[in-house]
Amino acid sequence: MAASSERSPPPFPDSEEPELLEDSDDGADAFTGTSISEMDSLSPDTTGPPKDLFNTPPEDIFSDPLSDINSEPQKNVKIQSPGSDEAVDLFSDPLDDEADVISSPEVQNPVPDLLKETVETPKSDVIGKAPIDISSKPVHKNAIGARHQDIFEDPPKDSSKGSAAKKAGSAELFGDDDDDDDDDDDEDEEEEMFKEPLKAMTKKPQPSVASGPPINVFTEVKSEVKVKQHVKDDPTDLFAEEAVKAPATKPSSSGGSRTNGVHSEEQDIFSEATVELSLDSPLNDRKKKDAVKASVSAPAAPVASSSSKPPSKTLEELEEEESEDKFDLNISITNPEKIGDGMNAYMAYKVSTQTSLTMFRSKTFTVRRRFSDFLGLYEKLSEKHSQNGFIIPPPPEKSILGMTKVKVGKEDPSSAEFVERRRAALERYLQRIVSHPSLLQDPDVREFLEKEELPRAVGTQALSGAGFLKMLNKATDAVSKMTIKMNEQDVWFDEKIQDVENEEQQLRKLHVMVESLVNHRKELSGNTAVFAKSVAMLGSSEDNTALSRALSQLAEVEDRIEQLHQDQAANDFFTFSELLADYIRLLGAVRGCFDQRMKAWQRWQDAENMLQKKRESEAKLLWANKPDKLQQAKDEISEWEAKVTQFEREFERISATVQKDVIRFDKEKARDFKRQIIKYLESLLHSEQQLIKYWEAFLPEAKAIA
Amino acid sequence: MEGSSAESALSVSANSIRITDLTQDGDVLMFAITSQKLNSSAGVCVFREHEDFEWLQQSLFSQENVPGLQGIIFPPLPPKALPLQSNMQTKALKQLGFLALGQDWQGYCKALEFYLQQVATHPTLCKCKALDSFLINSESPGKQRGRKGIFNRLSQAVEEMRKESHKDVDNFFQNERNKNTNITALSKIATEKLIDVVMTEQKLALACGHFSTSLHLCVNQDDAAAVAFSKVCLKLSDIIEAVKQNFEKVASNNLTTLGLGLDLESRYQEAEKEMLFRRTCKLIELETVKKSTEKAKANKREVMEEFQKAVEKEFNLISSVAKEEIERFHSSRVNVLKNFLIGWCEQQLNTARECAELYSQHLEACRNMYSE
């Protein structure tokens, strides 16, 4: 299970935590601070209302949790959504317990403890099951809306009746869910439910709770109380409308800024559920607190389960999914711009995305990124996904020479070419990332595409400087590769590994050839230019006027042809040379996947060996008749057996992932090459047609020579 | 260069002269020259090597009884070609220029053929007996090497610098000389540049060939995706092959039309230059004679005046022949260049059209490749 938590991407990357916390520094109130930073990521202008909300009404709530219920009716007048109140309540609860729950990293400590408690309580049964239902909801996507409504509509009645009833109501609610979705109960999931939360929770429980409700509250305030702030129309409208129509869909769109759609929906559901239970906490004592904690664990559960779900899907399912997936995401990189002067200068690129995918906030958005951001993205992705066996498209290499030229040089053509080359390479790199179904789901990718300001990628500057280190790493890898002798069982892999190696060599050869082709083209273009010049000279010193004119016309034609050659050289370069270079890099990534798989296999084999040893020692103990140590040996055996099965499963999983990804890669490659060839042919055809035009124009000139 | 009056002196039709074949025997290239008899439909075929051509050229230079011979622009004979050894490539290229390029000495044969036609159509030169025997006698003409005489380029080079800048008495010739020097240099440069272009095109064709061949190595039939990729590779290989052929055609077009034209132009300019130089030499000689006549004592004056008159007459003759020749040369060179240009343009146009057609076929095929 340790591995499963490792592989399940945390709903909120660790890297984000410090940022949030930093933001909350200036806010006296930990909650407003957090919520503001949440809001910031959505739209900076909307910070007003939540502040309001948290600062004015909740004052008394926080100060006296008991008075909360009393004040509820009044608040209901103001904000007619019970959900919002409850959200406030929820906040009040942690405040009571520990003011710095959110603002300090210690967050991780209390929660797991509480959770463990929860598991032991008799209530855990109900609570445990409830999350499962809700977590399984994403599978029935249709159900979400309706059920959501249920959750949403039930509580208000309850809440009006009183807090005592509320508890029952919430229990009922969960009970209902149970009945509805019995068929989705999976033992696996349940298992995960209880184990995963612990780990997932430790990472970031609070924002997930906090992110849903505040927005909720805030938008509802917007739509019903009509506190109209002069804020950006789009986001508010979107939220407001959706809030009115269907509360269920709104959080998903609002939460989208942080996590992908599926996650946020789940979180939302659970944050609602959390809200329900949290109402009790101020009134009731320990027992209810348990419930609250359980409910806190609930939101985390689906996150964990959902994140652990993709890998557990079968290969066919994934392939199906892939074929269904209509790829509608268009990324273009434009406007490379030099920022700064001297050696601190860097290039910034405009990354524009056009999409109809619902996981993004809008259909088109644009951000500015610098090269190291691209590298940072790769680092993040490979850290998270490479051990899963995904092929992570590598970014273009850092070029000190090229960049220095750009930094130092003025407008010289070679640096312009360098910039354009890099721009195109980055564009292809991003396109490859988003065309990977799993990488597209990664929060970092979406953040990269959407978020206005990205924390400066660190360590990437050293990336080029660390080329030496990288080489060392590669060397050690090679050594370990030699030492690990894997007797390949899988014929598919056996062949594929060989194929990939061959292919890489072939591509390298091809690349050299294309390179020489490009160079010859450039030479031709240069020679044609010189020839054009000398023809022009000849024409100018020619006595015969007709011949002179024809010659100068010819010089012009040659000039144009020179341009054609130049364009064609660029075409050759950008369509083939770069394509091949990309694929050489990609094949390197593919081999990396194979290596990861081999490492997994190695782990499995090591565990197997260890188990064998343990068994032998057990046999020895048996033989030596030492019952006192026997138990320990047995324990160890079962421990290692578990490990073996785990590693074996892991190996199988990684094998499946690698296989799937390599198949996908092969398909993509054929498609890519085909696309490029068509593009190339089009360019060839175009230049040939231009040539025809030029000659046709020149022919009468030649004939006109008297 | 189409003197119709000349044909009577020659027993074969000037326009029918062709070099049809070439055999290589060790270091010697043997050219098969065919021509058509004027009075009958019978064809004549003789075998000549480059030394025979040199003999012919010498014979033309050293004709006797031709007034104003020195005023004639002799059609330029391409320099001797050495059968290609790989290490000779660059040397041959330097010496022969365009004529060394192309397969199987095609360009060289064309140039020789053109030379013979030019000689045969020249109003004065076609009367030379040596030409007739060169074209008709199956025996190789006299093996004796003619002395290089005054037309030797080597001896000329020494005097050239001194005499070339000599001021002319006649403005027409002075202008012509200036222009000639200019154009000679320019056309030479243009030719060299075109050679570079053609060479690069040939290199490109070669590189395309390599590329296309190595694409074949990427074929792999393991699974569906690999087959698809292999198909793409093979298609690309075909396309690159097409590109290669296109380059080859373009290069050979350049070679056989504009290249030859420019080469001929530059060599003819060179020939005109030589003729002008010969005239300048005569002019200088005349001036020296004039001076010495003035200085001569009375008893010798009469002889000197006699001599001066003879030289002056010769010089005037040369000048008048030269004037005619220059006019003839100018009109014919424009014509020749025009024909080369038109031919070139048409060929390139055809090639481009064919190529575009081929590309669009490939494109169509590509688009349908695995939509099936």
Side-chain angles (χ1 to χ4, degrees), chain B residues 220-243:
Chain B
N220 183 339
Q221 305 285 353
D222 279 355
D223 52 66
V227 168
F229 183 64
S230 302
K231 267 189 197 165
V232 172
C233 282
L234 289 180
K235 192 78 219 166
L236 181 60
S237 171
D238 289 349
I239 292 162
I240 297 296
E241 185 66 30
V243 174

Side-chain angles (χ1 to χ4, degrees), chain B residues 40 89 104 183 195 227 244 331:
Chain B
S40 67
Q89 171 85 52
D104 300 329
I183 287 192
I195 287 175
V227 168
K244 179 198 165 194
S331 69

Side-chain angles (χ1 to χ4, degrees), chain B residues 15-28:
Chain B
N15 293 323
S16 69
I17 299 173
R18 295 278 180 280
I19 292 182
T20 50
D21 198 17
L22 166 131
T23 47
Q24 188 173 341
D25 179 19
D27 275 354
V28 181

